[in-house]
Every structure is written in structure tokens, then in C-alpha cells.
Amino acid sequence: DAKTTQPTSMDCAEGRAANLPCNHSTISGNEYVYWYRQIHSQGPQYIIHGLKNNETNEMASLIITEDRKSSTLILPHATLRDTAVYYCIAFLGTDKLIFGTGTRLQVFP
Amino acid sequence: SQTIHQWPATLVQPVGSPLSLECTVEGTSNPNLYWYRQAAGRGLQLLFYSVGIGQISSEVPQNLSASRPQDRQFILSSKKLLLSDSGFYLCAWRRIGRTEAFFGQGTRLTVV
């Protein structure tokens, strides 16, 4: 699975959009991009995933660049409850599931 | 619907004592199962994963072992705990293929 690079931390004002970037320049053609988040002292929670096309669900939107070397997770209206560590994973769908260090998002009032 | 159970939620154990953490999944069959550890302020470290009964892959050499005696049961063990074994232990499952993983609530282990 391809390595991903994310900023260590980000801040976002409550009610504003949170845009979390992820670089995956070595991603292969059949690796999907997955996003999870981990709220303090809880297990990670799946958010969204995609291959080429942009994806949207009730939690977030995922924008993948045309060359697939990077992506952005968008939380359209961040709330205090969105404060968490966000993990971006390039996943082939094989057995191993490896997490990086993620981005710590702090939403402030 | 599928659920994952992990217990206990917290555990304080003395150095040198044994450990057994259990994880069970309901509502699915033949899941991939995972054990992760998270040290304080750190990321998730994959310890073991299993694709079937009795099939265990170890990612990091350490003082721990894992077993899968039944299809939906995954056990993390140690014969003698070290101080460095302290951390937040998470069990997870996912279906085979490009599917999302579901995590348990975790066990916070403190070795004293």
C-alpha cells in the first residue's frame, strides 16, 4: 500500500469548512483512498473512500486529483465534535491495514 | 447488523503478570481481524492480523502473541507484561476486499 503524507495538525473555526489534505504520490492504479477519524479515547471511525471520482456522503466529501497523487477530505460545516485525528490511507484491499500518524484537527468556537 | 465487542475497557496489571484481551465479532462470517496498539500521543501500530481461524500474521516482534480459536474471536496475550506494553489496544474487523474497517471501543492497559 502506498505511503501517505498529511500535515501534523490543523485548526478550523466552527461552522466553516475543514479541508484536510493528503499526499499519496506513489499510489497505484487500483489503490483506493480511505479516510478514518479517531476521536480521543475511541476507536477509529470510517468516513469515506474513493478511487478516481469525487465522493460525498452524509459525513464528508472526498476530492481526488485527476492524477490521483493527492486528495482532500472536506467537512463542509465543522462542529466541535469533529475535533479528532484524521487518517488518510491508500489501500489495496489486501489483508494488512496500516495507519499513518494522521492530522490532528482542532475545531474552535 | 454487525457488532464488535472488546473487553475489558480498562486494565491495570503488574509487570510480569499475564495478559489476555478478547475481541469478538457478531453478525458476519470469515472476517479479517486486527489488533492495534496506540501508545500515549502516538499513532496506531498494527500488531497482528488474521484472515482465518488459526492464521495469524505478526507485524512487529514483541512481547505479545495473538490467537484466533474461532472464526469471530481474536485474542491478544502475553505471558509476562512489560512496562512498555502499556497503551490503548484496539481490535478491528473488516470483510475481505476493499471494505472499511470497524473498530471496537478499545482497552486501555496500564502496566505498573
Side-chain angles (χ1 to χ4, degrees):
Chain A
D1 297 332
K3 179 179 172 59
T4 61
T5 305
Q6 299 176 253
T8 302
S9 62
M10 295 182 64
D11 291 338
C12 179
E14 190 176 20
R16 305 297 293 269
N19 297 291
L20 292 93
C22 179
N23 285 320
H24 31 80
S25 58
T26 61
I27 196 169
S28 66
N30 51 359
E31 283 182 307
Y32 280 63
V33 179
Y34 279 75
W35 283 83
Y36 289 79
R37 74 179 183 184
Q38 185 179 20
I39 295 170
H40 184 61
S41 295
Q42 297 183 22
Q45 174 192 26
Y46 164 80
I47 302 173
I48 198 168
H49 73 280
L51 182 63
K52 295 181 182 178
N53 301 321
N54 299 335
E55 302 287 343
T56 296
N57 63 20
E58 65 278 3
M59 291 182 68
S61 294
L62 174 60
I63 308 298
I64 302 173
T65 58
E66 192 170 341
D67 63 8
R68 298 204 340 112
K69 292 186 177 182
S70 66
S71 60
T72 301
L73 179 75
I74 301 173
L75 308 178
H77 306 286
T79 70
L80 297 178
R81 288 179 294 180
D82 291 323
T83 292
V85 177
Y86 288 78
Y87 298 97
C88 168
I89 302 169
F91 186 49
L92 193 61
T94 53
D95 307 322
K96 279 196 219 180
L97 180 58
I98 303 248
F99 286 74
T101 53
T103 295
R104 185 172 299 277
L105 175 68
Q106 180 68 53
V107 181
F108 57 90
Chain B
S1 64
Q2 300 84 19
T3 55
I4 179 169
H5 301 282
Q6 189 181 343
W7 65 91
T10 59
L11 191 59
V12 179
Q13 292 284 98
V15 169
S17 64
L19 172 73
S20 180
L21 300 180
E22 187 164 343
C23 172
T24 60
V25 180
E26 296 178 356
T28 189
S29 60
N30 197 29
N32 281 8
L33 296 172
Y34 303 84
W35 277 112
Y36 293 87
R37 177 172 61 198
Q38 190 169 37
R42 307 293 294 275
L44 287 160
Q45 179 186 34
L46 178 62
L47 300 176
F48 302 94
Y49 66 95
S50 171
V51 300
I53 296 174
Q55 301 179 60
I56 309 294
S57 296
S58 174
E59 284 300 293
V60 181
Q62 58 216 320
N63 186 40
L64 301 169
S65 63
S67 62
R68 184 171 176 174
Q70 301 181 42
D71 182 44
R72 291 169 289 172
Q73 184 185 30
F74 206 22
I75 298 171
L76 183 70
S77 304
S78 173
K79 293 182 179 178
K80 289 185 178 181
L81 284 169
L82 307 171
L83 287 174
S84 57
D85 292 323
S86 294
F88 189 44
Y89 288 82
L90 286 155
C91 179
W93 76 274
R94 49 177 284 273
R95 292 188 190 89
I96 296 170
R98 296 191 185 92
T99 59
E100 66 267 33
F102 299 91
F103 284 77
Q105 289 303 300
T107 295
R108 190 160 303 281
L109 171 68
T110 304
V111 182
V112 296

